[in-house]
Amino acid sequence: MKNCKKEGACENKLNGSISDNVDGIALDSSDNGNISEDNNNNTDVDDIIKGINSIDIDMSKCVACGKGGDNLKACTACESVKYCNAKCRNSHRSKHKKECKQLAAERKLQNKIWDMNKMVISDDKLFADPPPKEDCPICMLPIPYSIGFCGVYTMYMECCGKELCEGCVKAADTEVKKGNMKDCCAFCRKPSSVDQEERTERLHERMKLNDGGAFAWLGSAMSGGTQGLPQDKNKAIKLWNKAAELGSVRAHNSLGSAYEVGKGVEKDVSKAIYHYQIAAIGGHEYARYQVGIMEETNGNMDRAMKHWMIAARSGFDDALEEISIGYKVGHVTKEEYASTLRAHRASQDEMKSEQRSVAHALRILKMRAKSN
């Protein structure tokens, strides 16, 4: 069996372009990606954004002297910086004191969210058929959670919080260029943002409404340092935590990826598995595939195959490859393989359209032009 693959790269702009996959972590979408809802608590955007620590800390080195090693000790208060020894810790104390208090508060919040969400997931729930994919609100064709999967890219609209497929966005752009429609959101018809300040204000309004997609999108942008924002993995984690608390499937997938490799947080396989499982239950194809990879790593091939069959039936190509290998070595029966093949084809077919194919072809041409 092969190692996991990253989801395909893509580009995203607020209210006007397509999303950018950051370090294999999908960029996010609207509240359509939520598996639960919580609209009762209004959010203070400044507390969410400005209150997050802006320093990206390298946990593999002593924060005081910069030396690496296997014997580094974490600060007992915040657990977010490491030192070689007591001498380094004492010399850095005055610089770290204020930051330590803030980091400790953030860690406490993250642990609180973890404790609130942590639960024992039964196999009945974990291996149940995932919910149907959400549809693009314009063409009404299914949208995959894994950005770029099956050639389908999406855009989060900060004006209305909807997720539109690239096919519909490109079709609207064509009509604008022809003069047949005004430059506006293809769904809600609100005029397109004229500058970054207006786009940011619209995004903040979505966050005040507890739109999990807005928090997840901003988290992914900050994780990769895209959309004109500075890279800040600590902020990204907090934003994803908030999005996950609001039920965002994609935020759970992003957290799973972050905990799996230790980006913005210390590596924690148990938390990675938990977040991937929640995303998988919500229908995220890549997260389901990753849970299978982790089961394979632990030697649980029967469970891995079950996860890959679910992902393959959702149209995920890498999972189908694993099922093909599993069939050849006897982990999958002929009937299971045949039914998975049929479901995989049907799932991909229902996501296809001429409009989406044209948009995908234009994307490939644009990428080739950039590489030349």
Side-chain angles (χ1 to χ4, degrees):
M1 301 295 171
K2 62 182 180 302
N3 292 329
C4 59
K5 295 181 180 179
K6 292 183 179 180
E7 298 177 66
C10 39
E11 294 175 285
N12 186 18
K13 282 183 188 174
L14 286 173
N15 199 27
S17 153
I18 311 298
S19 44
D20 227 29
N21 201 349
V22 180
D23 295 327
I25 301 174
L27 286 195
D28 299 83
S29 90
S30 67
D31 47 0
N32 290 341
N34 291 353
I35 54 177
S36 67
E37 297 181 357
D38 180 1
N39 297 317
N40 297 323
N41 299 320
N42 290 330
T43 303
D44 187 327
V45 179
D46 288 340
D47 286 346
I48 292 296
I49 298 178
K50 294 180 182 178
I52 308 170
N53 180 34
S54 61
I55 300 174
D56 192 7
I57 298 167
D58 186 350
M59 294 291 285
S60 67
K61 297 179 181 180
C62 172
V63 72
C65 68
K67 294 181 180 179
D70 296 330
N71 298 319
L72 299 177
K73 302 296 182 182
C75 170
T76 55
C78 67
E79 299 181 15
S80 297
V81 297
K82 288 187 176 182
Y83 298 104
C84 295
N85 47 45
K87 182 178 178 181
C88 281
R89 184 188 65 227
N90 294 335
S91 66
H92 191 252
R93 180 174 294 168
S94 60
K95 294 180 181 179
H96 180 56
K97 186 175 180 180
K98 182 177 179 181
E99 176 189 83
C100 181
K101 184 176 180 181
Q102 185 177 0
L103 287 169
E106 289 174 10
R107 179 170 289 275
K108 184 177 180 181
L109 175 62
Q110 289 181 13
N111 288 337
K112 181 179 179 182
I113 292 171
W114 166 251
D115 290 340
M116 287 170 57
N117 289 333
K118 189 176 181 182
M119 60 182 178
V120 176
I121 301 173
S122 68
D123 280 357
D124 286 344
K125 186 172 184 178
L126 184 60
F127 291 111
D129 289 336
K133 293 178 174 65
E134 296 289 342
D135 295 335
C136 170
I138 296 179
C139 66
M140 301 306 294
L141 293 177
I143 293 176
Y145 282 107
S146 302
I147 305 298
F149 159 52
C150 200
V152 181
Y153 293 82
T154 60
M155 182 176 72
Y156 174 79
M157 309 302 289
E158 87 283 356
C159 49
C160 55
K162 295 297 182 182
E163 179 187 18
L164 308 182
C165 75
E166 184 177 20
C168 289
V169 172
K170 292 296 185 183
D173 287 346
T174 299
E175 293 302 307
V176 170
K177 291 176 182 177
K178 290 180 179 179
N180 295 333
M181 67 179 285
K182 294 180 179 179
D183 187 8
C184 60
C185 171
F187 180 77
C188 71
R189 295 296 193 263
K190 189 170 184 176
S192 298
S193 303
V194 295
D195 53 37
Q196 186 63 42
E197 184 178 351
E198 183 178 356
R199 291 170 182 167
T200 301
E201 180 58 33
R202 288 183 177 183
L203 184 64
H204 285 188
E205 289 302 315
R206 296 303 310 171
M207 294 167 77
K208 288 177 182 177
L209 294 173
N210 278 337
D211 180 347
F215 283 96
W217 183 91
L218 183 58
S220 293
M222 300 204 78
S223 176
T226 61
Q227 310 306 320
L229 296 170
Q231 186 178 50
D232 193 324
K233 290 180 168 53
N234 292 322
K235 284 186 178 180
I237 293 297
K238 188 167 183 180
L239 289 163
W240 283 332
N241 270 319
K242 179 62 179 177
E245 184 183 356
L246 293 169
S248 170
V249 170
R250 286 192 176 98
H252 276 292
N253 178 68
S254 296
L255 286 167
S257 185
Y259 279 113
E260 181 185 7
V261 297
K263 288 190 177 181
V265 291
E266 285 204 58
K267 184 175 179 180
D268 190 320
V269 176
S270 64
K271 289 185 179 181
I273 292 173
Y274 168 75
H275 285 293
Y276 275 142
Q277 286 180 338
I278 295 298
I281 290 170
H284 200 292
E285 306 87 0
Y286 177 77
R288 177 69 70 176
Y289 174 77
Q290 282 299 95
V291 176
I293 290 291
M294 290 178 164
E295 290 286 9
E296 178 194 25
T297 301
N298 291 331
N300 302 322
M301 288 307 301
D302 287 344
R303 294 176 67 84
M305 288 295 163
K306 286 182 180 179
H307 286 296
W308 288 332
M309 274 192 276
I310 294 172
R313 288 168 180 167
S314 296
F316 201 70
D317 290 334
D318 290 350
L320 184 63
E321 289 180 26
E322 298 291 1
I323 294 303
S324 177
I325 296 170
Y327 170 61
K328 292 174 183 178
V329 298
H331 289 302
V332 177
T333 67
K334 182 178 181 179
E335 291 74 18
E336 288 173 330
Y337 185 37
S339 65
T340 300
L341 277 171
R342 289 192 293 269
H344 173 269
R345 180 177 297 176
S347 180
Q348 290 210 349
D349 285 346
E350 69 179 0
M351 287 185 281
K352 295 177 180 178
S353 72
E354 182 178 354
Q355 198 165 261
R356 288 181 174 183
S357 296
V358 169
H360 185 52
L362 290 172
R363 170 179 286 277
I364 293 175
L365 289 174
K366 185 178 179 180
M367 291 173 63
R368 287 176 178 172
K370 283 185 177 181
S371 63
N372 293 335

